[in-house]
Amino acid sequence: MIKKFLLFIALLPLAIVVYGQVHAYSVAQTPWPETLGNHRAVVECTAQAPAHVKLFWRRHDVAPEQKRLLILAANGDTVRNIYRVAVNDETAEFVFEPVSGKGTYYVYYLAWKGHKGNGSFTGDYLKPEAAPDPAWMQEQGLPASAARLQLSKVTGLQARTHFDSFYPMEVTATTAETGQLMARHNKKMLLFPEDRRNPIRMQTHLPYKWIRSGPVASFSGTALRNEYYTFQVGVFAAGTPLKDLKVRFGKTPFPVTCFNTGGYNSKGRVFTKTVDVEQGRIQPLWFGVDIPEMAKPGRYGFTVAIAAEGIPEQQVQVVLQVNNKRIAERGDHELWRHSRLRWLNSNLGIDDAVVAPYTSLQRKQNTITGSTTAIIIGAMGLPGSIRPFGNELLASPMAFIVETDGGIEKWSAGPPEFVNESGSLIRWKTRAENKRLSLVCTGTMEADGYMRFYIDLSGRTSVMIKDIRLQLPLQKDFSKYFMGMGLPGGETPATYNWKWKGPQDAFWTGNVHAGLFCELRGTSYSGPLLNLYRPLPPPVWYNQDKGGFSLQGQDAVLYVTAYSGGRMLNAADTLQYEFALLSTPVKQTDTRSQFTDRYYHNGSDPLPEEADLKTGIRIFNVHHANAINPYINYPFITTDTIRAVADAWHKKGMKMKLYYTTRELTNQVPELWALRSLGNEVLADGKGGGYVWLREHLVDHYDPQWFTTIGGYERSDAALLTSGDSRWYNYYIEGLRWLVQYTGVDGLYLDDVSYDRDMLKRMRKVMDQVKPGCVIDLHSNTGFSKGPATQYTEFFPYINKLWFGESFQYNKMIPANWLVEVSGLPFGLMGDMLHGGGNPWRGMVYGMTVRYPWYTEGVNCDPRDIWKVWDGFGIADAKMEGYWEYAPVITTDNPQVLATAYIRNDRLLIAMASWAEDTVAVKLHVNWQKIGWTPRNDLLRATGIRNFQPQQQFSLEQRIPVAPQKGWLLIIDK
């Protein structure tokens, strides 16, 4: 369209002002079948003769001429013969045979065929209709007679629903109208102020509304006290590209913000944006006016001045009438006001507050002590000692080794300089140098034990580097298990070598009592490695595939090394190596919560039945794609419903948690067009496509994701991919605060998220500030996360429970894999099973069941039957002692049959499960001295549990038969 109107303007007489025809726009009283498309024209035929129609449909979707004209009579009869005279994005002229005689006909011009599934949409628009019957064409004298036929009356254009409507901001101006406008005003930049009720949607076409109004230099609106008032200015690059738009405000009575030119990022840092506008395109600018509660009623004015490189400044005079009425929560309860846009620049949760259950860090000289971990800062600023819960992990200090042609470089290093100290974070800096190189190590430790390091290596002269490596000498006693860098969770191999490949950038090694997580960082995205976010390897570590990773056991030490290989370091060049450490466990395991806070989790039907309360469920998750929370990652449309449900179930002693994350965003979000105006800052770029609504309104430059049809709702949920770290994170944090405060939800269900631990820490802070005791559980899929326990380890300090179950093959997993990747136990967490109902026998060894009602009837155990055994035994008050302990309470004489003890003062519950290929008979060995009491007899009772075990008794001296992939729950009394 741009080229067409630029050519047109050169030929246009300046005095002529001609507006093309515009049909009446309306919304159908009753939506028609969806596959007919979301838009139609209503035509009245007054004669039996061929109907001649000219539609001024003013479209901006792609290739209208390649889509079918589907014409139906009022009685549903389909028109067979349609002759196209001309079809383009502005008009459609055609002749058709009125098969049902005189009357009303509906012209559907965006009909489609496809499938709306749970998670995806497949389909496309219908191809153009078949050519008309040649005999009919001849009989009617077509095409020659078309010009002589009288035009049928088009009574209007209709949208299927209000949400589908193009009116008024997507009714496009024609090429002629745009050219005339440009000729009349003869400026390279035209400004169009617009009310927030009419978000500017199109960036490639002017709306016809602006043709009638023209560019204006003023805007007026009505606001309330305490309102965050928003409005827009559309900037049209009429005669030239506009480079680096600048926005300036005259003297303002209240603070005013332009969201498009900058703000505060997700870390709370100020940033500015360069806004360029291609020739012929529109850039919407969104503004917010912060009206205080104490503002006096009256008229307030200020100017918004907009300029571009080489383009003179133009001003818009803004006048706001502030009424005496006060609005609550800045207007956030009414989504149409767009007052929540200020959330984009929120710094809520970015502070020095320590997050519970952690306490303030303490420093004494070079020793930093936190709630879970103490470290000693050694040479070069790296840890010389790491002691989680008093267990020393390091066999010797960590080392950053630089090897050149002269061998291992020696350094002259100064003591650490502590540059920032608070209860939540301590930062230090250490400097080292020699004749050829200088090194600066900056380290931080947070209250939860998380450490981050930046090592800047600079050349004082040009140096040929043979290798640069980070070496962690770990005590083997605390390195029994390993996962990451291409390896699933398992026992640590004696040796291992790995090169950068696949979505891996981190590892963990340890046992249940102590361990260390390490992530090699340095890319723009270092969050969980998901299906939608797969970052490249950190360049400095990767070094054109010269870098890698190795394990090497030697005596009592496991040497863990990340290396980057050889390179030339020129004088004054600097390499920055970044990595993070987190010692584990991150907290003490809360077994009581695991056995009492039982989950009801049913995605499409989230509410339990009254009878389910008798099972002991305490928490239920409300996923998206249901009547309570229909739209993915935007629960604010149904907050009244969410609040009513939460209130009702709180009275029954239940907690309600909500699915709410950031990776995708529904097309139902009222701020969609404001977010679109930010370019790719919030909404990711892409090839478009997907659900037809997206194609008709967004048209291009978006990435379609999750799709759901919401039962009982006319609107479908067509999600868009977000861009990862952006100001939407700030919006999300404010949204979380608002949800907890105004709906009473008790926490979040996170289903594979893409933000980092800094975000999770903000989330935990905000929830605790509003409602202490909120719960977060985290779900992931090993299919694309490639080991979610590694991907999410840095989240664990702020997580209450894991659900690492999707795609996990429980019957094929070795015990070490269960322990490390599923159970959560090495990290101070516990979890639930999922895939195929899990394996209930093996699950009980780790204190796990499936969530109700996520089980496979007749195949695996309904968790309610095991829960009955829990309650009868009193497992909430028991101490859990598993096979992974240094001196287990329970062992068997077969290493393929493992057992866990749940110990009370008067009874003992033994969970045993087999990894043997055949049925085996095993004998139990019980360390009664460690338990602290002996039974009055040696009878082991097996309570009958449906689909789990028959009722039976065994003697302690008896060999107990255990079938493959199965086991027992046995009780012995004091």
Side-chain angles (χ1 to χ4, degrees), residues 482 484-487 493-499 501 549-552:
F482 183 90
M485 297 307 202
L487 287 179
T495 60
Y496 177 66
N497 291 284
W498 177 84
K499 299 288 286 183
K501 55 187 175 182
F549 174 86
S550 70
L551 296 175
Q552 182 66 51

Side-chain angles (χ1 to χ4, degrees), residues 213-343:
S213 68
V216 293
S218 64
F219 173 81
S220 62
T222 301
L224 304 176
R225 292 189 300 112
N226 197 46
E227 181 176 7
Y228 193 84
Y229 184 88
T230 58
F231 68 97
Q232 313 160 83
V233 175
V235 180
F236 178 43
T240 186
L242 303 178
K243 293 189 177 300
D244 194 15
L245 285 185
K246 297 294 186 185
V247 176
R248 181 181 63 82
F249 303 112
K251 184 177 180 181
T252 59
F254 315 116
V256 183
T257 295
C258 177
F259 295 99
N260 301 83
T261 55
Y264 291 86
N265 68 14
S266 67
K267 308 300 182 186
R269 302 186 187 102
V270 176
F271 75 100
T272 58
K273 296 180 67 173
T274 300
V275 181
D276 299 329
V277 191
E278 295 178 19
Q279 185 174 352
R281 291 182 67 93
I282 302 103
Q283 171 61 55
L285 298 178
W286 279 85
F287 297 89
V289 184
D290 194 354
I291 300 172
E293 183 176 3
M294 303 307 295
K296 294 181 179 180
R299 288 168 60 87
Y300 295 88
F302 60 92
T303 57
V304 176
I306 301 172
E309 188 177 294
I311 305 298
E313 184 177 86
Q314 296 183 37
Q315 294 188 353
V316 174
Q317 182 67 37
V318 179
V319 176
L320 293 182
Q321 176 66 47
V322 177
N323 290 345
N324 189 43
K325 183 179 178 182
R326 177 193 178 277
I327 194 168
E329 275 289 305
R330 317 306 310 278
D332 295 343
H333 291 276
E334 299 177 79
L335 299 179
W336 65 267
R337 293 182 183 273
H338 288 75
S339 62
R340 298 179 185 218
L341 287 178
R342 77 185 189 287
W343 291 358

Side-chain angles (χ1 to χ4, degrees), residues 107 123 145 339 387 390 454 564-565 656 750 793 915:
V107 181
S145 64
S339 62
R387 301 192 307 275
Y454 302 86
S564 62
M656 169 184 162
L750 303 182
T793 305
W915 276 263

Side-chain angles (χ1 to χ4, degrees), residues 939-950:
L939 290 180
L940 295 163
R941 295 183 289 107
T943 302
I945 304 174
R946 183 168 57 97
N947 294 324
F948 186 90
Q949 68 185 22

Side-chain angles (χ1 to χ4, degrees), residues 134 195 214 349 505 598 632 653 702 739 871 913 970:
D195 188 81
D505 64 356
R598 303 171 193 168
I632 192 167
Y702 63 90
L739 284 168
D871 293 337
L970 304 171

Side-chain angles (χ1 to χ4, degrees), residues 108 256 472 788 862:
Y108 298 92
V256 183
L472 289 73
D862 183 334

Side-chain angles (χ1 to χ4, degrees), residues 365-368 373-388 391-400 416 418 428 430 441 443-445 451 453 470-475 516 557 579 581:
Q365 296 180 338
N366 290 351
T367 299
I368 302 173
T373 304
I375 69 168
I376 298 175
I377 302 171
M380 312 287 284
L382 297 176
S385 169
I386 303 176
R387 301 192 307 275
N391 298 299
E392 179 59 69
L393 292 175
L394 298 180
S396 58
M398 288 177 55
F400 186 77
F418 292 91
W428 63 91
T430 303
C441 175
T444 62
M445 180 173 171
M451 294 166 273
F453 296 88
L470 176 68
Q471 189 174 81
L472 289 73
L474 301 172
Q475 296 202 54
L516 188 65
V557 181
F579 63 94
L581 303 174

